[in-house]
Amino acid sequence: MKELRGISVSPGIVVGKAFLYVDERPQIPHYPIATLQIDWEVARFKRARDRAVSEVESLKSQTVDNMGSDGKRFLDVHLLMLADPEFGAQVEGKIRQEPTNAEWAMYEVVGAMVEQLETSEDQYLRERAIDIHDVARRILNHLLEREKVSLADLSEEVVLVTHNLLPSDTLLMNKHMVRAIAMDGGAKTSHTAILARSFEIPAVLGLSDITRNVRSGEEIIVDGNAGTVIVDPDARTRDRYLRLSREWRKRWAHLLALNKLPAETRDGKLIRLKANIEVPEETEAALAHGADGIGLYRSEFLFLKPGDFPSEQAQYEAYSRVIDAMKGAPVTIRTLDLGGDKILPDLPLHGEKNPILGWRAVRFCLSEVDLFKVQLRALLRSSTHGDLRIMFPMISGVEELDRVLGVLEQAKEELRRKGIGFNEEMPVGIMIEIPSAALTADILARRVDFFSIGTNDLIQYTIAVDRGNERIAYLYEPFHPGVLRLIKIIIEHAHAASIPVSMCGEMAGDPLATVILLGLGLDTFSMSATRIPEVKEIIRAVTMSEAVAMVDSIMEMNSYADVDRHVQEWMNGRFNLSPRA
Ligand code: PEP
Ligand code: MG
């Protein structure tokens, strides 16, 4: 028995048989060609490319239902690559220069492109290398006139174990037969992660060397809740996970049945449950899990690529896409929160002595006002697409807020001067994630339309505990009385000023915190989409007076351990929370 830890990207627990899918690297034929043959060889390449285009187009039209719109978009990216004149010209140039056969020329060109992308520090660009491989493999299949080996042919249920799936593999695979995915590569925002979440296939990625630790047919457990994979489990472990898996499936079916129901307490208080997203594609999962809107779109993920920042138009398109996809439901987009742990290799933000307390978020934007205004104009322009609200991260006090609001006003003025439309009434809020902002929430509340509590940072700054440091993770405690008191202050001040309060830190999606947050008066909870059903179940099962009574008793307690014990006992008596190993 062997246990490996990875990144949990899609929940669920599966015990099954491994299917090792290691895409065989085809032998690329290499032979010189005669000068007379050059035109014919170029034509052969173009023909293979045209066939690849028709293949992708027919895939797009035939199987759209089965893929969802995420799938369609990947195919669009592939069509763009196939149509790229620069790519075609480079391959043709190689065939003519050497002169050599089309397969070799194409792989020389593709190899150089992929090498450049694969060595990039940026995850997004590394993932584009996969798309290029995918497109090249498709053309090669036509050049060699061979049948493509495909995961579409899977005919029995398996746990797919692989090094790195190509987007087309993920789209085409027979999803009824893939019960779980365990992968060497990948991270939370990789294609496979997004698609696994959309298709609700439990998945653990970033396992480094799972493909070297398992053989096809071997028994394997994928725990997408905990981020672990167990190869060749002993009988006791297998039985334990089989039980957990049964419980999980039963519970998940029950939870998903709540999707269409409102998050309303037994005594009629309506709570908004929204989703946090990092990439526009995640809106689909948000809707599928019954989200009332997007409570946090971390816009910096658009910027986490080396080179130039995305243009105003590219940003406008990305924001509008999210707003359009949510079909009128509210969408809260947070302005750039670069810095801290979200750094770019190309920026001077790199190498700060103390990045968590350093030049990040609005501090960075206020010193790069032109760049900040590009984002604000893109946001304002997209506000005509639906119910957009924007919020500023890491506000520490009123001076900083006033400066940020000043830049927003300048961006509005620029658009007005050009006669470009935007929603003049677009709500503007701030994240409360620094203790000084929490303690001056009464002052800040007079200047904005809403608050959103960022507990991930608020806890880090309140307890002085680096949220990314494993060694002191035991101190990172949402139920610390200091944290609970700050949350209480924030909500009270906001309500006194008649503005609503949301929470978009991880605490909002923690079922153990739900009743406390309800009792404290939180209006909106925003979390990763798959957490919504469980939180909704709790909200629908309690009354506000029970929640207020819970808050009254925990606010008297001295330590987080006492609060934790009390909440656990209270919850265990009433709910069957999702099983965890
Ligand atoms: C937070 O700090 O709670 C938050 C939601 O923002 P991020 O995790 O992106 O810092
Ligand atoms: Mg934060």
Side-chain angles (χ1 to χ4, degrees):
M1 180 165 109
K2 205 175 283 170
E3 182 166 336
L4 290 97
R5 290 214 134 264
I7 306 162
S8 89
V9 301
S10 182
I13 302 166
V14 165
V15 179
K17 291 265 173 277
F19 173 72
L20 192 59
Y21 179 70
V22 191
D23 190 26
E24 92 291 16
R25 279 274 154 108
Q27 282 289 326
I28 314 292
H30 183 198
Y31 47 86
I33 55 169
T35 320
L36 272 176
Q37 207 188 330
I38 289 178
D39 286 342
W40 188 84
E41 197 64 14
V42 170
R44 195 166 77 85
F45 165 70
K46 288 184 177 161
R47 217 167 29 246
R49 191 185 53 183
D50 291 347
R51 285 194 188 136
V53 171
S54 328
E55 194 175 75
V56 177
E57 270 167 352
S58 83
L59 214 57
K60 213 175 122 185
S61 59
Q62 281 167 28
T63 29
V64 164
D65 292 350
N66 164 34
M67 290 178 187
S69 60
D70 278 343
K72 243 178 111 177
R73 270 193 292 276
F74 291 134
L75 294 176
D76 283 335
V77 170
H78 289 192
L79 284 174
L80 277 178
M81 287 181 182
L82 282 163
D84 179 10
E86 177 64 24
F87 171 61
Q90 280 191 35
V91 177
E92 183 171 345
K94 265 252 170 300
I95 296 174
R96 290 188 186 282
Q97 249 169 36
E98 302 240 343
T100 187
N101 61 316
E103 293 89 343
W104 188 256
M106 179 179 75
Y107 263 82
E108 290 275 290
V109 171
V110 163
M113 288 160 79
V114 165
E115 194 180 301
Q116 211 180 5
L117 294 173
E118 274 181 344
T119 51
S120 157
E121 281 182 34
D122 176 69
Q123 188 194 325
Y124 176 85
L125 285 187
R126 284 199 306 274
E127 280 160 16
R128 295 294 71 69
I130 296 179
D131 287 307
I132 292 178
H133 259 310
D134 204 359
V135 165
R137 194 181 58 175
R138 203 180 283 285
I139 301 176
L140 186 74
N141 285 336
H142 287 291
L143 283 170
L144 298 176
E145 302 199 357
R146 63 174 204 173
E147 281 296 312
K148 185 174 182 289
V149 187
S150 167
L151 288 173
D153 303 331
L154 285 174
S155 56
E156 58 173 341
E157 289 194 335
V158 294
V159 170
L160 184 61
V161 178
T162 181
H163 179 61
N164 220 340
L165 281 182
L166 297 172
S168 64
D169 288 329
T170 326
L171 291 169
L172 286 175
M173 74 188 180
N174 185 345
K175 286 159 204 81
H176 304 292
M177 295 299 161
V178 177
R179 297 185 56 214
I181 298 173
M183 197 162 103
D184 289 341
K188 276 225 185 278
T189 59
S190 55
H191 283 133
T192 311
I194 294 166
L195 291 168
R197 281 195 291 272
S198 308
F199 299 132
E200 293 190 10
I201 298 174
V204 178
L205 309 187
L207 286 155
S208 306
D209 56 0
I210 181 72
T211 46
R212 271 190 267 134
N213 281 285
V214 69
R215 288 187 300 273
S216 277
E218 220 170 354
E219 190 160 48
I220 183 169
I221 297 168
V222 173
D223 182 347
N225 300 354
T228 48
V229 170
I230 298 169
V231 180
D232 187 23
D234 59 33
R236 251 186 70 220
T237 308
R238 180 198 308 115
D239 289 348
R240 182 158 63 98
Y241 275 93
L242 281 172
R243 178 176 52 75
L244 286 168
S245 167
R246 271 195 307 273
E247 287 172 20
W248 165 263
R249 268 181 288 145
K250 223 166 94 190
R251 189 150 164 69
W252 193 238
H254 160 75
L255 288 173
L256 284 181
L258 301 176
N259 269 355
K260 297 264 179 294
L261 301 174
E264 191 174 4
T265 61
R266 274 177 37 220
D267 47 355
K269 176 158 183 196
L270 191 65
I271 302 294
R272 300 277 164 217
L273 298 186
K274 298 184 184 171
N276 292 352
I277 62 168
E278 279 81 33
V279 288
E281 286 80 0
E282 282 181 286
T283 45
E284 225 157 293
L287 291 169
H289 291 88
D292 296 315
I294 301 298
L296 167 67
Y297 171 21
R298 291 180 161 101
S299 69
E300 56 275 9
F301 278 79
L302 263 179
F303 292 69
L304 288 173
K305 306 172 204 165
D308 289 342
F309 278 123
S311 64
E312 183 179 320
Q313 183 61 20
Q315 290 187 52
Y316 163 76
E317 283 166 16
Y319 305 147
S320 306
R321 194 165 130 203
V322 171
I323 301 167
D324 292 344
M326 292 307 292
K327 304 178 184 111
V331 171
T332 304
I333 302 184
R334 174 174 77 183
T335 62
L336 202 52
D337 185 8
L338 282 179
D341 57 347
K342 292 170 226 158
I343 44 173
L344 273 166
D346 283 3
L347 273 185
L349 282 163
H350 219 43
E352 285 244 305
K353 271 217 183 88
N354 203 341
I356 302 289
L357 299 180
W359 196 34
R360 60 174 289 200
V362 289
R363 302 164 181 195
F364 167 74
C365 290
L366 285 171
S367 57
E368 298 287 335
V369 173
D370 288 343
L371 193 144
F372 192 21
K373 278 201 277 183
V374 169
Q375 177 171 45
L376 294 174
R377 285 195 305 267
L379 285 166
L380 285 164
R381 284 172 51 200
S382 62
S383 67
T384 56
H385 282 250
D387 185 355
L388 173 67
R389 298 123 193 241
I390 64 167
M391 66 180 175
F392 299 107
M394 291 285 292
I395 295 290
S396 62
V398 78
E399 290 83 0
E400 207 168 32
L401 174 58
D402 285 346
R403 286 185 61 200
V404 163
L405 292 175
V407 181
L408 176 64
E409 195 42 50
Q410 287 171 25
K412 286 183 177 178
E413 199 41 49
E414 287 172 15
L415 292 183
R416 283 188 203 110
R417 271 205 308 272
K418 287 189 189 153
I420 300 175
F422 62 89
N423 174 12
E424 292 273 358
E425 307 300 320
M426 181 183 70
V428 176
I430 53 173
M431 289 197 61
I432 304 284
E433 49 186 344
I434 300 181
S436 59
L439 294 167
T440 53
D442 51 336
I443 303 167
L444 301 173
R446 285 184 227 126
R447 289 164 155 81
V448 292
D449 300 309
F450 63 92
F451 285 163
S452 187
I453 308 174
T455 47
N456 305 343
D457 279 315
L458 187 65
I459 296 168
Q460 143 164 288
Y461 295 128
T462 304
I463 312 180
V465 50
D466 179 348
R467 66 195 247 193
N469 187 334
E470 287 291 316
R471 283 167 111 177
I472 48 166
Y474 66 96
L475 284 173
Y476 190 92
E477 188 36 73
F479 292 161
H480 188 298
V483 174
L484 295 175
R485 286 179 197 193
L486 281 181
I487 296 173
K488 185 165 186 281
I489 290 172
I490 300 165
I491 298 175
E492 282 173 357
H493 284 319
H495 288 172
S498 305
I499 64 167
V501 193
S502 169
M503 177 180 284
C504 59
E506 291 301 303
M507 188 177 181
D510 177 359
L512 277 185
T514 307
V515 179
I516 298 180
L517 297 174
L518 265 181
L520 286 169
L522 190 70
D523 304 294
T524 300
F525 295 53
S526 191
M527 63 201 80
S528 89
T530 48
R531 299 245 62 130
I532 291 176
E534 194 159 31
V535 170
K536 187 186 280 186
E537 180 189 43
I538 296 169
I539 291 174
R540 290 178 56 83
V542 298
T543 60
M544 281 308 288
S545 40
E546 280 174 310
V548 170
M550 157 79 88
V551 168
D552 287 345
S553 41
I554 61 152
M555 281 298 174
E556 297 290 311
M557 294 177 183
N558 298 332
S559 73
Y560 66 73
D562 288 346
V563 178
D564 204 58
R565 203 172 311 114
H566 180 75
V567 179
Q568 295 261 11
E569 279 167 16
W570 197 91
M571 296 291 286
N572 284 340
R574 290 168 174 80
F575 298 99
N576 162 28
L577 293 183
S578 290
R580 285 174 218 278

